[in-house]
Amino acid sequence: MLVDSPPEAANAPAAPRRRQITRSAGLVASVGALVVVAALGIVVGAKQVPLDQVWHALFHYTGDDTDVVVRDVRLPRTLLGLLAGAALGLAGTVMQALTRNPLADPGVLGINAGASAAVVSAISFLGITSLTGYVWFAFLGAAVVSVAVYVLGGTRSATPVRLALAGTALSAVLIGYINAVNLLDTAALDRMRFWTVGSLASATLTTVQEVAPFLLAGAVLALAVGRPLNAIALGDDQARALGARLTRTRVLAMIAVTLLCGGATAACGPIVYVGLMVPHVVRAVTGPDLRWILPYSAVLSPVLLLGADILGRVVARPGEIQVGIVTAVVGGPVFIYLVRRRRMAQL
């Protein structure tokens, strides 16, 4: 005697397939949005450049003023925005998973402060003024602070709370140091003020070439730790039961954050809120699975960063507002909303 299957059982296998299709379609749409924004980053600016001249500058470079604006200014700026945006989004996603805190930002481990402290030291004490000169100091500062945070957090016994507390403490010390050096050396302050705001305006192809290997290595590492970070999100005991290696995963995650956030900060300065906002938007589409959140964040974070950069160029013509200011103005209210929503959910 045949018994009909319940409708719920018949539809159960279809639900994961629909979710998979939705996620895949959303990722394709996100890539399309990134292509559009990247194109606008090359076309739109303080100076109006017709599309045919943009095409000529990209593929038939002759060295006139328009070609220089498009090929030597806007193209490197857009490329750096793509790399830095993806790096900040991935770093923010990994940080939130590592600390199990959805309000965590890449700066929570003090990496931005470490990079900034190294740069101000290089400018003030060594007289280095070019971006290509101090990019390595910024990266070194980020790496040193990451190691220090892990040591202070207890190495093998490190927990998300300990890592966050160690990062906050180091950030406070380093910010105090930065302010002291700037007050004592006004020349360093003048040279630092545009970098500390966060900007893509100083981008060159040399800068892109120097930071790209570190950012790409960090991106590969961040994507690789997505699966074990999914297990850690369930709690340490559950992660161990699932076979996750907690210490190795956390070390690799911190290395990824150092490469991503350190390289992006070195090239652009400390740009805030990109790594905080995008993962929250992504989770609404993908759910909590980091294997989807990470690639989504890598695509949508450059959309946000380049969009903010374009907005800064348009609203203040013929001048511009630095991208770090735009992201801070947008991100501040978003952060307050997220905090209030989280508090209401806990009541």
Side-chain angles (χ1 to χ4, degrees):
M1 180 177 180
L2 297 176
V3 179
D4 291 337
S5 300
E8 293 82 0
N11 293 333
R17 286 199 298 270
R18 286 198 298 269
R19 190 180 304 115
Q20 189 87 354
I21 292 172
T22 300
R23 289 169 172 173
S24 301
L27 189 58
V28 171
S30 300
V31 172
L34 180 59
V35 172
V36 172
V37 173
L40 290 175
I42 298 175
V43 174
V44 178
K47 179 181 179 181
Q48 296 284 358
V49 180
L51 288 176
D52 60 332
Q53 294 187 25
V54 171
W55 182 268
H56 181 273
L58 291 175
F59 299 102
H60 305 284
Y61 185 80
T62 58
D64 61 22
D65 291 344
T66 301
D67 288 358
V68 169
V69 168
V70 174
R71 185 85 168 265
D72 298 337
V73 177
R74 293 184 186 173
L75 179 61
R77 186 170 183 163
T78 300
L79 292 175
L80 184 58
L82 290 171
L83 289 174
L88 292 172
L90 287 171
T93 303
V94 172
M95 276 303 310
Q96 291 174 14
L98 184 64
T99 61
R100 294 202 286 270
N101 180 1
L103 299 180
D105 186 77
V108 73
L109 287 188
I111 294 176
N112 284 351
S116 299
V119 169
V120 76
S121 298
I123 291 174
S124 182
F125 302 127
L126 301 178
I128 295 175
T129 59
S130 66
L131 178 63
T132 54
Y134 62 64
V135 64
W136 302 104
F137 288 90
F139 186 78
L140 177 62
V144 169
V145 168
S146 295
V147 174
V149 167
Y150 187 66
V151 171
L152 292 174
T155 57
R156 290 185 178 274
S157 61
T159 64
V161 174
R162 288 182 178 180
L163 292 174
L165 289 175
T168 301
L170 277 178
S171 293
V173 172
L174 292 171
I175 290 172
Y177 166 77
I178 293 167
N179 291 335
V181 172
N182 284 337
L183 288 173
L184 295 173
D185 187 349
T186 55
L189 176 60
D190 290 339
R191 290 191 291 267
M192 279 280 293
R193 58 195 178 106
F194 290 109
W195 184 85
T196 54
V197 167
S199 174
L200 299 175
S202 300
T204 64
L205 288 177
T206 301
T207 305
V208 174
Q209 292 169 358
E210 286 182 347
V211 301
F214 299 106
L215 299 183
L216 293 175
V220 171
L221 191 56
L223 293 171
V225 298
R227 185 184 293 272
L229 282 176
N230 272 341
I232 289 178
L234 301 174
D236 289 358
D237 294 337
Q238 186 74 7
R240 291 190 187 96
L242 293 173
R245 298 182 180 180
L246 272 63
T247 300
R248 186 181 72 172
T249 300
R250 285 176 177 148
V251 169
L252 292 177
M254 289 187 65
I255 292 173
V257 171
T258 300
L259 291 170
L260 293 167
C261 193
T265 303
C268 310
I271 298 175
V272 296
Y273 292 123
V274 174
L276 171 68
M277 291 187 289
V278 173
H280 277 278
V281 175
V282 168
R283 287 190 191 95
V285 177
T286 66
D289 192 345
L290 286 166
R291 292 172 299 177
W292 283 97
I293 297 174
L294 286 166
Y296 261 89
S297 296
V299 174
L300 289 178
S301 294
V303 173
L304 173 62
L305 187 62
L306 287 173
D309 187 47
I310 294 169
L311 180 63
R313 297 185 224 172
V314 171
V315 299
R317 285 178 175 172
E320 66 178 71
I321 301 174
Q322 304 303 324
V323 66
I325 298 174
V326 179
T327 58
V329 169
V330 174
V334 172
F335 182 73
I336 294 172
Y337 166 75
L338 293 174
V339 171
R340 287 182 59 85
R341 189 181 69 172
R342 184 170 173 81
R343 287 183 60 188
M344 292 298 295
Q346 292 174 346
L347 293 177

